[in-house]
Amino acid sequence: MARTPSNYIYTGVWSGKPTAASAPIGAQIQIADVGLSPSVWTSDGTQWRPDHTISLMTYTNDAGLVFAAGGAETAFGTELSLPGDVFYTGCSLVLEAMFSHGTTGETRGVTVRWGATTGALTTSLCAFTSVSTNSNIIILKRYYFSSATTYRAPATVSIGPASINSGTTSTTIAGLASPGFLNFTATPSAANAVTIYGMSLRLID
C-alpha cells in the first residue's frame, strides 16, 4: 500500500525536520526540497536515510547541446538549491552522463559544480574528464561518502579495460555540510567541441 502524508511523522522542508534520534526507528518523513520530487527518508535511530534513490538533477537533450571548441567551461541545466547536512557517512552520489567530442585526444569533460552562493559555483563536486580518441562517451561514476564532507571516488576513469582500475582518491569539500547550490557544466578543449545528450546526479543510501 502506498504511503499517504498521514503516515509520515513530518512533511515539509529539510531544515524543519525532527532529528533522526528523536524519531522511532523506521519512522518516515517526506521532504519537499531534496530531489526533483518529494523524497522519503527513514530513521535508523541516528541518521535519516533516503528510502529510495533520489534524483537531484537531470538534463536531457536528444538533439545534443553543443559547446564549441575553444570555449570556456559553461554551466547548463537548472541550478539546484540544496539544504545543508544532506550527505552523510555511507551515502553515495552517482554521476551519469552521455556526451560526444572530437577525437584529437585533448582533455575535455563534464562537471557538477557546488558553491555556497547562487551563480558562483566554484568547487568541483563530481567530475569526469576524457582524453580518449573515442568520440562517444557514456559514464557512470560513484562517489562514496566517508563523512558529511568527504568522499572517495576513482582517481581517473579512462576508456578501455586496460585503464578502468585506476585506484581511488579521497576528497574533502569544506562547507558541503552547509546549504549550497549545484549545477552541471561542460568543458570543451581547444580543438574539440563537447555535445551533451544527457546527464544526471542521484543520491543513494
Side-chain angles (χ1 to χ4, degrees):
M1 178 182 296
R3 282 184 169 265
T4 64
S6 61
N7 296 124
Y8 303 120
I9 65 168
Y10 170 80
T11 59
V13 297
W14 183 258
S15 62
K17 71 187 184 307
T19 65
S22 69
I25 294 175
Q28 292 189 314
I29 57 175
Q30 187 182 62
I31 301 298
D33 59 345
V34 179
L36 297 178
S37 59
S39 53
V40 177
W41 300 69
T42 302
S43 172
D44 66 1
T46 58
Q47 177 69 52
W48 289 111
R49 296 180 177 274
D51 195 52
H52 55 279
T53 297
I54 298 175
S55 180
L56 295 175
M57 297 194 299
T58 187
Y59 177 87
T60 57
N61 188 321
D62 288 342
L65 178 63
V66 180
F67 297 87
E73 180 181 4
T74 303
F76 65 94
T78 301
E79 192 174 277
L80 170 74
S81 174
L82 193 68
D85 292 321
V86 169
F87 306 121
Y88 57 90
T89 301
C91 76
S92 296
L93 282 173
V94 177
L95 172 66
E96 294 183 78
M98 182 175 182
F99 63 99
S100 64
H101 53 58
T103 59
T104 59
E106 298 175 331
T107 300
R108 53 278 205 239
V110 292
T111 304
V112 177
R113 289 279 177 186
W114 179 88
T117 305
T118 181
L121 311 187
T122 58
T123 300
S124 173
L125 178 61
C126 307
F128 177 87
T129 56
S130 170
V131 294
S132 172
T133 55
N134 296 318
S135 60
N136 296 305
I137 307 295
I138 299 175
I139 65 165
L140 176 63
K141 192 172 179 181
R142 186 164 178 170
Y143 300 76
Y144 296 87
F145 278 74
S146 57
S147 75
T149 59
T150 300
Y151 59 72
R152 183 169 290 277
T156 58
V157 183
S158 301
I159 305 303
S163 54
I164 289 296
N165 297 316
S166 56
T168 63
T169 183
S170 183
T171 301
T172 298
I173 299 179
L176 191 59
S178 301
F181 299 86
L182 299 173
N183 208 354
F184 296 135
T185 71
T187 306
S189 64
N192 290 182
V194 169
T195 303
I196 305 294
Y197 297 99
M199 196 162 168
S200 70
L201 185 69
R202 293 177 290 126
L203 173 66
I204 61 177
D205 187 38

